[in-house]
Amino acid sequence: PISYKWEYFVFIPTLKNMFYQNFISGFEKWKYLKMISHCIKHANRILVFDRISKQELWERFNVSEDIIHLIPGAFRDQPKLDDIRLDLWITWWIKNPYLIYPGWWSIEKNLERLAEVLFKIRESGKHIDLVILGDNASGNIGLRNKIIEHSLQKNIFFIGNISSRKRHLLYKQS
């Protein structure tokens, strides 16, 4: 609410899609980000569900930590997970144990074969996901066709290039 003058709270379940919307023009993106940033900076309370969102709000929008409140998620009938694991699960929706593959695309990497291997592993009853790092792998048409052919859309994650801190956490938890 740009012109709203009274108190208001902002609920932010995740920042995952906030900055990566598809915009028709640069002006639309600027207007959207300006509006979001205004709403966040003028909110009396901001409620988030994970530490990563809290930290990103504090860093990106320079919002006082006093107004950002972390609401821990409640997952009934599941074992308690530590904060790092919970944040990674929420950020990328990784549900199973996972393998990491540095997927910077080069000629010697056979990503289609990798999808076939994951399919055979899952077919044998092991619930394992695959996390592919790097930006180029997601553009591999052969890999995409194998993923669709074996219905692995919910089991292969293209994370892209991430910071070394996040990469360290991913490797630590894999």
Side-chain angles (χ1 to χ4, degrees), residues 1 18-20 37 39 44 47 50 53 59 61 73 76 80 91 98 102 106 118 139-140 146 150-151 164 169:
M18 185 177 283
F19 299 105
Y20 306 105
S37 122
C39 289
N44 294 75
L47 306 169
D50 63 292
S53 295
E59 291 173 356
F61 293 103
R76 286 181 35 191
K80 186 175 179 183
T91 302
Y98 56 90
S106 58
L118 181 67
N140 183 331
K146 286 290 180 189
H150 296 304
S151 299
S164 59
L169 291 175

Side-chain angles (χ1 to χ4, degrees), residues 51-66:
R51 283 186 300 109
I52 291 174
S53 295
K54 181 177 182 176
Q55 184 177 351
E56 193 167 348
L57 281 169
W58 177 69
E59 291 173 356
R60 189 174 288 217
F61 293 103
N62 197 21
V63 176
S64 168
E65 284 189 86
D66 298 336

Side-chain angles (χ1 to χ4, degrees), residues 20-57:
Y20 306 105
Q21 299 288 327
N22 292 326
F23 296 99
I24 296 172
S25 69
F27 176 73
E28 271 190 26
K29 181 177 183 177
W30 174 84
K31 183 175 70 172
Y32 173 78
L33 292 175
K34 185 78 170 166
M35 201 168 56
I36 292 292
S37 122
H38 177 79
C39 289
I40 288 173
K41 285 182 181 179
H42 292 88
N44 294 75
R45 295 271 185 263
I46 300 173
L47 306 169
V48 296
F49 297 100
D50 63 292
R51 283 186 300 109
I52 291 174
S53 295
K54 181 177 182 176
Q55 184 177 351
E56 193 167 348
L57 281 169

Side-chain angles (χ1 to χ4, degrees), residues 69-144:
H69 296 277
L70 179 65
I71 299 173
F75 300 97
R76 286 181 35 191
D77 303 327
Q78 289 189 10
K80 186 175 179 183
L81 303 172
D82 64 4
D83 287 342
I84 293 171
R85 174 73 179 172
L86 185 64
D87 286 345
L88 290 176
W89 185 82
I90 288 172
T91 302
W92 292 302
W93 298 100
I94 300 171
K95 297 179 183 176
N96 300 311
Y98 56 90
L99 302 171
I100 297 177
Y101 187 77
W104 295 275
W105 198 6
S106 58
I107 197 159
E108 73 275 359
K109 295 188 177 182
N110 190 341
L111 298 175
E112 293 88 358
R113 171 79 90 178
L114 187 61
E116 292 278 344
V117 169
L118 181 67
F119 175 70
K120 289 185 188 283
I121 289 172
R122 291 190 62 82
E123 208 174 40
S124 72
K126 293 181 176 67
H127 297 288
I128 290 182
D129 292 338
L130 177 65
V131 173
I132 299 178
L133 303 177
D135 288 333
N136 296 332
S138 63
N140 183 331
I141 299 300
L143 174 60
R144 291 225 172 246

